[in-house]
Amino acid sequence: MGAKLEEISEGVFAYIQGRGEWFVNNTGLITTREISIAIDSVANEEMASYMLSKFREVLRSPIKILINTHGHGDHVWTNHLFEATSICHENCRKDTIMADPEIFRNVFPELNFKGAKVTPQHITFSREVKIYAENLEIRITHPGTAHTSGDSYVYLPERKIVFCGDLLFAKPCTPFVLMGSIVGNINALKGLLALDAEIYVPGHGKVATKDELREAIEYLEFVYSEAKLRIEKGMSFHEALEDIDLGKFKHWNEKERIVANLARAYADLSSYEVNPLEIVRLMRDWR
């Protein structure tokens, strides 16, 4: 399946899927003799079955807690396969409830959503919550609206590790901020840069360092500045989309996400209103 489980510190694992394609996300596992904690689920039962089989190879205790970093389907649709208490930001739970797999089956008919199910989380928080596993501090923090309005990252200060969720798409994965805020995502990434951390597990892409954070910031700042320039010239969103040159970013994967990111920038900077279904159609047709 192109997925692998990487031990990034003792008892701490990053589960990396593919190269970060649509609905192919990364997850995490923290396992101690006292308790095990999973970070995010995946998009379908086949992916989940393989992931859980890899988890069982290294588990020191049952998974009792499931953390969701945000409410997009690829991170929550197989929550029901965990016999665990789930926790997320309060807006993540709202997004989870709204992420009906049937809608996405119609939009992405070629993708596998077998077994995808809406399973709302048990516990929510507004700003930050901490979990302790054999005295290992696991800090779950909401950075404000960024990739979505319900993002969280999971920080292990003692291990200098951050599970970023989709706050970070690691190069060459193109970021995606349609349902959030470009400035908010930039600020969240700068906050992650400021942490005393060395290993960053992105929501999509390979295990990263601060270098990938900086490159993601550079991309988002590029989109924002290019949108602002074209708005000042009086260009509509569609005109800007035809005009924009991705430059150094044109070789990144899923470059069609510029459609969604430019739409978000236009919405943040002007009276442009985002129509998600139109944006998806434009992305699928974009040069």
Side-chain angles (χ1 to χ4, degrees):
M1 295 186 65
K4 59 181 179 178
L5 190 64
E6 300 181 22
E7 187 166 20
I8 53 178
S9 182
E10 183 183 354
V12 181
F13 297 83
Y15 182 73
I16 306 298
Q17 291 199 102
R19 59 180 181 83
E21 303 95 326
W22 291 102
F23 295 96
V24 182
N25 65 304
N26 300 330
T27 71
L29 175 68
I30 302 164
T31 183
T32 71
R33 290 182 296 275
E34 180 182 43
I35 191 173
S36 293
I37 298 165
I39 302 169
D40 283 334
S41 62
V42 290
N44 63 50
E45 283 185 346
E46 181 181 356
M47 289 178 175
S49 177
Y50 185 77
M51 177 186 70
L52 290 171
S53 73
K54 302 305 289 183
F55 282 5
R56 284 192 289 270
E57 292 177 4
V58 300
L59 281 176
R60 301 176 182 177
S61 60
I63 297 172
K64 293 298 186 182
I65 297 174
L66 170 63
I67 301 167
N68 286 137
T69 60
H70 63 292
H72 283 171
D74 51 340
H75 295 256
V76 301
W77 274 338
T78 52
N79 280 6
H80 61 286
L81 299 179
F82 289 83
E83 295 181 3
T85 299
S86 53
I87 182 170
C88 71
H89 184 263
E90 54 197 23
N91 290 338
C92 166
R93 189 176 193 275
K94 295 174 184 176
D95 288 343
T96 298
I97 293 169
M98 296 297 292
D100 183 352
E102 291 304 319
I103 296 173
F104 293 89
R105 284 191 180 98
N106 294 329
V107 176
F108 295 94
E110 74 279 11
L111 298 183
N112 177 10
F113 298 122
K114 184 179 180 180
K117 181 180 176 182
V118 172
T119 308
Q121 294 78 8
H122 302 101
I123 299 171
T124 66
F125 64 94
S126 60
R127 176 56 184 154
E128 183 174 88
V129 65
K130 296 178 183 179
I131 299 170
Y132 292 88
E134 288 189 349
N135 294 319
L136 176 65
E137 181 182 321
I138 301 160
R139 195 179 301 173
I140 314 168
T141 303
H142 171 59
T145 298
H147 173 66
T148 69
S149 66
D151 297 299
S152 300
Y153 61 85
V154 182
Y155 177 38
L156 283 59
E158 179 185 324
R159 305 292 182 87
K160 301 183 186 294
I161 293 170
V162 185
F163 289 89
C164 305
D166 283 2
L167 295 173
L168 175 63
F169 288 68
K171 177 187 174 181
C173 296
T174 299
F176 181 70
V177 291
L178 179 63
M179 308 311 293
S181 162
I182 287 193
V183 171
N185 207 150
I186 291 169
N187 289 338
L189 288 168
K190 288 181 177 178
L192 296 182
L193 265 179
L195 294 175
D196 181 17
E198 297 173 356
I199 299 173
Y200 293 84
V201 180
H204 297 258
K206 296 180 180 179
V207 174
T209 67
K210 290 183 185 291
D211 288 342
E212 285 76 15
L213 291 176
R214 295 186 184 98
E215 288 173 312
I217 291 169
E218 183 181 1
Y219 171 86
L220 293 171
E221 288 179 337
F222 163 80
V223 174
Y224 193 80
S225 64
E226 292 294 302
K228 188 172 187 290
L229 176 65
R230 286 163 177 77
I231 289 171
E232 290 171 350
K233 289 182 177 180
M235 297 174 70
S236 69
F237 163 67
H238 289 88
E239 290 171 333
L241 189 58
E242 290 299 317
D243 184 63
I244 196 166
D245 182 349
L246 290 177
K248 65 181 288 186
F249 304 109
K250 66 183 177 182
H251 299 299
W252 285 22
N253 301 336
E254 289 75 47
K255 61 183 179 180
E256 70 274 9
R257 288 175 183 158
I258 184 60
V259 178
N261 297 332
L262 190 66
R264 172 46 51 198
Y266 256 69
D268 289 350
L269 288 163
S270 71
S271 59
Y272 175 76
E273 293 187 11
V274 171
N275 180 330
L277 290 180
E278 179 197 14
I279 297 304
V280 170
R281 178 183 62 79
L282 287 172
M283 278 195 296
R284 295 176 74 84
D285 295 339
W286 194 72
R287 52 176 184 234

